[in-house]
Structure formats: structure tokens, C-alpha cells
Amino acid sequence: MFTVYVDADACPVVRIIEDVAREMHVPVELICDTNHVLFSDYSRVRVIGAGADAVDFALINLLKAGDVVVTQDYGVAALALGKKAHAIHQSGKIFSDDNIDGLLMDRHLAKKARMGKGKHHLKGPKKRTEEDDIRFESAFRGLLISIIEAN
């Protein structure tokens, strides 16, 4: 059996993850730092000490091949894929070996633009909508079904 690990610091889709996972009898672990302590009646909650990337490293250390990670961090997704795990963004985008390099490059270029001098202001993310939640739920459900059917 695989486990769903959630990079749960400020994750807007925890409820959806738990509802779908409960339906399919898949265990969930919410990983958060001491600044974002969560409570759940379904998931196991792991609270990690605050620190730069502490949650990310803890999550990757727990992850096994075949598990699923929900994260918005492209670096965490890349490390998960390297461990032969599955990774999905809170938008519903499935991370894969085919798209992760481009996403990491985009992240790098955006960081360079933010650090450079001049008027390179990048907008933050758009406000989350109900359509975003529907898109995530559909993609997440599809991912879990494909994993269950493959096993």
C-alpha cells in the first residue's frame, strides 16, 4: 500500500485530499512545521521543527517508491520523482520526468528576474477558485485510481 504525503504548510487542498483518500482507503500524512500545526480526524499529522526546508527534507526522507506527494514546491517534486514516487501540485498538475526540468528552469529564471535590478516585478498567484479545487480533485482522484489499478 502506498501513502499520500502532503507538504501541508499553507496547503489549500488538505480537505479534498483527505476526502478522496478516505473514500479509497489510502493513508495520508500531513507534514507541517511548528508554525502551521494541523489537526485531523483522518490523517497522521507530523510536526517538524521550524527551519529552512525542514518540512521538505522530512517529507522526502519518509517517501518511498510508489508513494504520492502533494506539494507546490518544484524541488520537492523533483526529489520525489527521483525516489520513484508520484507528485502532484495543488493546482492538479501532475509532475513527471517529462515536465520537471522545464518547471525547475522556469523557477530558476523567475528567481533571477526577482533578484535582478530594474522593473522585473512578477505577480503572485491568483486567488484560488472553486474551479481550481474541482481541477485538483479530479486530477488527484485520477492519480490515486491509476496507482491502485496498477497494483
Side-chain angles (χ1 to χ4, degrees):
M1 175 52 84
F2 64 95
T3 299
V4 174
Y5 291 94
V6 182
D7 184 354
D9 289 343
C11 179
V13 292
V14 169
R15 181 195 52 77
I16 296 169
I17 293 165
E18 289 183 321
D19 289 348
V20 172
R22 179 182 285 127
E23 236 178 79
M24 297 185 181
H25 308 288
V26 175
V28 174
E29 294 205 17
L30 305 176
I31 316 297
C32 62
D33 68 23
T34 53
N35 297 315
H36 299 94
V37 178
L38 304 172
F39 299 94
S40 173
D41 65 349
Y42 181 74
S43 302
R44 177 177 182 184
V45 177
R46 291 184 186 245
V47 180
I48 307 301
D53 302 320
V55 168
D56 299 343
F57 292 128
L59 191 154
I60 292 301
N61 285 329
L62 291 167
L63 206 57
K64 306 178 308 301
D67 285 339
V68 175
V69 63
V70 180
T71 184
Q72 62 181 354
D73 186 311
Y74 296 168
V76 170
L79 292 170
L81 293 173
K83 290 187 87 170
K84 304 296 182 212
H86 306 273
I88 183 172
H89 189 277
Q90 65 191 28
S91 68
K93 177 182 224 28
I94 305 287
F95 296 107
S96 70
D97 292 334
D98 294 331
N99 68 14
I100 196 66
D101 288 339
L103 293 168
L104 288 168
M105 180 57 76
D106 290 347
R107 179 182 76 167
H108 171 71
L109 294 173
K111 183 176 182 180
K112 250 177 110 167
R114 284 191 306 274
M115 293 177 72
K117 295 183 180 188
K119 296 187 178 192
H120 295 287
H121 300 287
L122 300 175
K123 293 182 181 179
K126 294 183 286 186
K127 186 175 177 181
R128 190 159 186 91
T129 66
E130 186 177 342
E131 289 79 24
D132 294 326
D133 289 346
I134 292 167
R135 187 172 28 262
F136 173 79
E137 182 175 352
S138 175
F140 182 65
R141 182 180 301 281
L143 177 60
L144 294 190
I145 289 170
S146 70
I147 296 167
I148 291 167
E149 289 176 349
N151 292 325

